[in-house]
Amino acid sequence: SSQDLSEEFAEAARQLKKEAPGIQFGKIDVTHQHDLRKEFNIQAFPTVKFFVNGSREDPIDCKGVRKASTFITWVKRRTGPSTVLINSTDQAEAIIKADDLAVIGFFRELHNDSVEVFCETARDVPEMPFGMTTSGDVCANYGIQGNSLVVFKKGKPVHNEVLEDGRQNKLGLTRLIKTFTLDLVTEYNIETSVKIFDVPVENHILLFTPTNSETFNEIYENYQSAAAEFRGQILFVLVDTNEARNGRIFEYFRIRDIDVPAVRILNLTSDAKYKMPADEVTMENLKEFCQSYLDGKAKQHLPSEKIPQDWDKMPVKVLVGKNFNSIIF
């Protein structure tokens, strides 16, 4: 909520006052400041913007940051180095083991496009520590050759992304790394819904199924395997249809008991929904569905009402999705 964020924001201001007195924190109630709201195009609340060098042109949006500690990291990475330079294996281990998640960049040299993209990505992901190294000993210790970004979870490497000069997309890397703050498949509930929307991946796939069904384990395994292949591009969500509190999400996707297990893709930007054409939740069907969606070949799913029995009894015919094409065309 705005109140919670306001308190965390104030806490960050208190802590940074001693460490970085040059950074000023301010709060605006735009309900009374219409000119400022218009000038900075404030659409959602709360919105946090960072103004650099006294300029009111092009402030930087600070999105998805909710805790005081993350605000502090975000600001520090914007005003100073965004990553720690690692010179020894002991130093690397200390960073990897200090938190649940850590990201380390292994590079041949410090001056290339990959390093620049890595440092820019670190600025946008204040939730986890970032370090980088060119030390041959450190690279050899983790068996890494060349330019790579490695995500560590609970001290173990869980993802290795080879960084090729000029080819890496900062937004793509940011999305990929932020997905590690969630499980490979995230079960939808009140607590996780906020986290799901904080990860900047606009494509969500949802599996609607009862988690106590006989076929659940097999379906879930297939779903997890597909999730590993599309990490960073599509966020995989599980919705338990036995959970009464999930009723609103069933209504939103118009899922009925007879439809489950059902698989849908939602594009958060356009609000477009897509239905998996196949009935069976196999790994092949899931992969084909995800790929056809990413290639722009999937057909949008527009749920239709049932055709009313008396649709043609009156001079003005009643049309719904199911009979629209056949009657009009």
Side-chain angles (χ1 to χ4, degrees):
S1 73
S2 289
Q3 183 58 38
D4 292 342
L5 191 86
S6 189
E7 285 169 15
E8 294 290 331
F9 190 70
E11 180 55 35
R14 272 196 293 277
Q15 290 185 37
L16 276 173
K17 200 172 180 181
K18 297 169 193 161
E19 292 179 60
I23 298 164
Q24 304 295 323
F25 282 70
K27 193 162 66 169
I28 297 168
D29 180 354
V30 287
T31 51
H32 306 299
Q33 305 285 339
H34 299 294
D35 292 350
L36 288 175
R37 182 177 180 173
K38 196 174 172 187
E39 181 185 348
F40 299 116
N41 190 25
I42 307 299
Q43 310 256 342
F45 303 101
T47 292
V48 178
K49 289 183 182 280
F50 185 51
F51 294 84
V52 184
N53 297 331
S55 166
R56 63 198 291 156
E57 301 294 319
D58 299 322
I60 303 160
D61 274 332
C62 177
K63 288 179 182 165
V65 176
R66 293 173 183 273
K67 290 196 161 61
S69 56
T70 324
F71 268 123
I72 292 166
T73 306
W74 191 90
V75 169
K76 281 182 175 176
R77 288 184 189 177
R78 290 276 162 192
T79 53
S82 61
T83 64
V84 177
L85 189 58
I86 295 167
N87 296 311
S88 69
T89 303
D90 284 352
Q91 202 183 351
E93 281 295 293
I95 290 172
I96 289 162
K97 287 179 176 165
D99 257 302
D100 263 8
L101 287 160
V103 182
I104 309 289
F106 297 87
F107 299 103
R108 291 190 196 94
E109 49 160 359
L110 280 184
H111 304 288
N112 62 32
D113 291 350
S114 298
V115 172
E116 207 170 301
V117 171
F118 181 80
C119 291
E120 280 180 20
T121 304
R123 286 191 191 106
D124 286 339
V125 191
E127 297 92 333
M128 53 189 90
F130 274 66
M132 64 180 182
T133 187
T134 54
S135 157
D137 289 349
V138 177
C139 291
N141 183 66
Y142 296 100
I144 308 290
Q145 292 175 333
N147 296 338
S148 288
L149 172 156
V150 181
V151 180
F152 290 83
K153 196 163 190 172
K154 293 189 164 60
K156 303 262 188 323
V158 287
H159 184 83
N160 183 338
E161 184 82 9
V162 175
L163 300 176
E164 295 179 47
D165 268 4
R167 286 202 202 164
Q168 229 62 38
N169 171 323
K170 182 188 74 132
L171 184 60
L173 273 183
T174 302
R175 283 176 177 156
L176 175 72
I177 294 164
K178 283 208 177 200
T179 62
F180 286 94
T181 60
L182 297 171
D183 295 328
L184 193 54
V185 171
T186 306
E187 185 167 347
Y188 182 89
N189 57 42
I190 303 300
E191 290 77 41
T192 61
S193 62
V194 175
K195 292 180 186 175
I196 288 168
F197 290 109
D198 271 351
V199 174
V201 178
E202 66 170 4
N203 309 313
H204 290 187
I205 188 167
L206 300 98
L207 167 63
F208 295 86
T209 185
T211 54
N212 63 353
S213 73
E214 285 177 22
T215 54
F216 175 72
N217 287 346
E218 190 187 337
I219 287 173
Y220 188 70
E221 218 168 278
N222 293 338
Y223 198 58
Q224 273 197 311
S225 302
E229 285 211 19
F230 293 96
R231 185 155 216 163
Q233 296 174 286
I234 303 177
L235 208 60
F236 278 64
V237 179
L238 169 71
V239 184
D240 182 2
T241 54
N242 279 339
E243 176 53 72
R245 284 177 296 186
N246 291 337
R248 280 176 67 188
I249 199 166
F250 308 148
E251 280 172 36
Y252 179 68
F253 284 92
R254 296 205 181 172
I255 302 286
R256 301 160 302 169
D257 289 346
I258 56 165
D259 295 327
V260 299
V263 178
R264 301 283 188 273
I265 285 178
L266 171 68
N267 179 295
L268 264 59
T269 307
S270 66
D271 208 36
K273 301 173 189 74
Y274 302 81
K275 178 184 179 181
M276 188 166 76
D279 287 333
E280 284 187 73
V281 187
T282 64
M283 203 166 134
E284 290 74 26
N285 290 341
L286 285 163
K287 281 188 195 173
E288 204 174 305
F289 180 40
C290 291
Q291 199 55 58
S292 72
Y293 168 76
L294 291 173
D295 294 342
K297 291 175 184 167
K299 281 186 185 167
Q300 203 171 322
H301 177 56
L302 302 164
S304 171
E305 297 167 50
K306 286 179 183 169
I307 302 171
Q309 283 181 325
D310 58 352
W311 71 271
D312 61 346
K313 298 283 187 288
M314 304 296 280
V316 177
K317 310 301 177 195
V318 179
L319 300 178
V320 294
K322 279 180 181 149
N323 69 351
F324 186 87
N325 269 2
S326 57
I327 304 306
I328 300 298
F329 303 114

